[in-house]
């Protein structure tokens, strides 16, 4: 297959409006597509086997071999390469100083059925996580610790929002992502191997001496409310981290990182 190229010079072009609309969740869900921005992020995507359907380039850009490789990959896959002005690219991405390239990708299958729990010893789970920055950070953490992916429980932020994708630093393309309600997740988890671990204060043991077992599903709750009590009681293990200062809790993504690395150390040791 061979793609095609074109130049867009007008702000009112229908393609510009359609691409810009992907910043809104309702349009992403309707089109089943999402935006990602930046040469490094798009290169990570390409190296993971994800080639954008549309590649948007600033007409005033410095040449780069990675950018050339991206263009070739899009054209060979039958995609579209669009050249436009930095101002129009800024309108599409919503950033005052956009990077020189952005891509449009098809959303991934986010069903629990798409996950292979045996592919990794660690998985991250977030319940009612509302901040896209935290969500992206958890994806990035999952990549760092070799997790299989991130499972989003109940009403979480959209993992394909521009903010979450940007915060993931490319991990949205390396980590599996699933979305489910609690009851669906619990049924799926208990249908196979898996230890569910919660960061908790309820009948919890110190996180550094807990008996972790693979595959370990590390779960954190909502940024302000934490996990519901019945969710915590359904866990195989509840662990707590010491708070030496005045703060009574950690940021949700930070807590996931601390626990994730502790589980990694325990399983590798």
């Amino acid at each position: 297959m061979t793609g095609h190229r074109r130049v867009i010079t007008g702000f009112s072009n229908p393609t510009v409006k359609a691409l810009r609309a992907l910043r809104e969740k309702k349009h992403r869900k309707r089109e089943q597509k999402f935006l990602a921005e930046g040469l490094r992020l798009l290169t990570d995507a390409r190296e993971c086997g994800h080639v954008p359907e549309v590649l948007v380039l600033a007409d005033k850009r410095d040449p780069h071999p990675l950018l050339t490789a991206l263009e070739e990959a899009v054209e060979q896959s039958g995609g579209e390469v669009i050249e436009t002005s930095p101002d129009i690219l800024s309108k599409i991405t919503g950033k005052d100083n956009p990077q020189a390239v952005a891509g449009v990708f098809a959303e991934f299958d986010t069903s629990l059925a798409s996950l292979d729990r045996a592919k990794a010893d660690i998985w991250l789970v977030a319940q009612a996580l509302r901040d896209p920055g935290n969500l992206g950070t958890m994806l990035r953490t999952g990549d760092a610790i070799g997790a299989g992916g991130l499972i989003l429980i109940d009403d979480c932020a959209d993992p394909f929002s521009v903010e979450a994708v940007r915060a993931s630093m490319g991990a949205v393309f390396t980590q599996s992502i699933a979305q489910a309600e609690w009851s669906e997740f619990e049924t799926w988890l208990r249908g196979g191997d898996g230890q569910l671990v919660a960061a908790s204060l309820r009948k919890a043991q110190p996180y550094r001496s807990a008996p972790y077992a693979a595959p370990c599903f590390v779960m954190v709750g909502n940024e302000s409310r934490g996990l519901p009590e019945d969710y915590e009681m359904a866990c195989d293990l509840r662990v707590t981290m010491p708070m030496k200062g005045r703060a009574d809790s950690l940021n949700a993504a930070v807590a996931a990182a601390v626990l994730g690395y502790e589980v990694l150390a325990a399983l590798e040791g």
Side-chain angles (χ1 to χ4, degrees):
M1 296 178 65
T2 302
H4 60 285
R5 304 179 70 101
R6 61 179 167 135
V7 176
I8 292 178
T9 59
F11 282 91
S12 60
N13 185 286
T15 299
V16 173
K17 293 180 179 179
L19 294 176
R20 185 175 184 272
L22 293 178
R23 288 160 45 196
E24 299 179 24
K25 184 176 181 178
K26 64 179 181 180
H27 294 293
R28 287 195 299 275
K29 294 305 177 187
R30 184 187 66 205
E31 300 296 328
Q32 294 294 290
K33 301 180 190 303
F34 68 98
L35 275 171
E37 181 195 10
L39 180 57
R40 176 181 172 181
L41 197 153
L42 295 189
T43 296
D44 287 345
R46 177 179 61 80
E47 292 176 348
C48 292
H50 299 282
V51 177
E53 296 179 352
V54 179
L55 187 68
V56 187
L57 307 171
D59 53 13
K60 297 176 182 178
R61 63 186 185 276
D62 295 326
H64 196 289
L66 292 178
L67 190 55
T68 300
L70 266 173
E71 293 181 65
E72 292 175 350
V74 171
E75 291 177 339
Q76 290 171 5
S77 67
E80 181 177 29
V81 177
I82 295 173
E83 292 194 64
T84 191
S85 70
D87 287 344
I88 293 177
L89 187 55
S90 176
K91 182 176 182 179
I92 291 170
T93 63
K95 288 186 70 178
D96 291 336
N97 296 298
Q99 299 193 46
V101 58
V104 176
F105 294 83
E107 288 191 357
F108 315 140
D109 181 358
T110 60
S111 66
L112 289 170
S114 70
L115 300 183
D116 175 11
R117 73 177 75 198
K119 82 172 187 178
D121 288 341
I122 305 173
W123 295 78
L124 298 182
V125 184
Q127 189 269 335
L129 197 71
R130 302 301 302 151
D131 184 271
N134 280 338
L135 196 159
T137 299
M138 285 191 68
L139 285 169
R140 190 176 178 185
T141 296
D143 180 83
I145 64 175
L150 174 63
I151 302 172
L152 302 171
I153 304 299
D154 300 335
D155 186 22
C156 287
D158 183 1
F160 301 113
S161 69
V162 172
E163 297 83 3
V165 170
R166 187 179 295 146
S168 81
M169 295 293 289
V172 68
F173 298 107
T174 68
Q175 293 286 285
S176 297
I177 300 172
Q179 297 173 293
E181 295 299 316
W182 167 252
S183 59
E184 180 187 2
F185 167 69
E186 191 175 20
T187 299
W188 174 84
L189 180 68
R190 300 312 179 190
D193 293 335
Q195 179 194 54
L196 186 58
V197 178
S200 172
L201 295 176
R202 298 183 177 101
K203 299 180 180 179
Q205 58 185 292
Y207 82 108
R208 304 207 71 176
S209 58
Y212 301 110
C216 184
F217 292 79
V218 178
M219 183 166 65
V220 297
N222 175 267
E223 289 91 345
S224 60
R225 300 188 302 273
L227 287 165
E229 183 175 1
D230 57 331
Y231 289 24
E232 290 190 12
M233 293 300 106
C235 290
D236 303 298
L237 189 62
R238 291 175 295 279
V239 298
T240 184
M241 291 171 281
M243 304 298 296
K244 301 293 188 179
R246 293 179 58 84
D248 60 2
S249 64
L250 289 173
N251 169 276
V254 172
V258 172
L259 284 179
Y261 271 104
E262 186 63 29
V263 171
L264 177 64
L267 296 182
E268 288 187 338

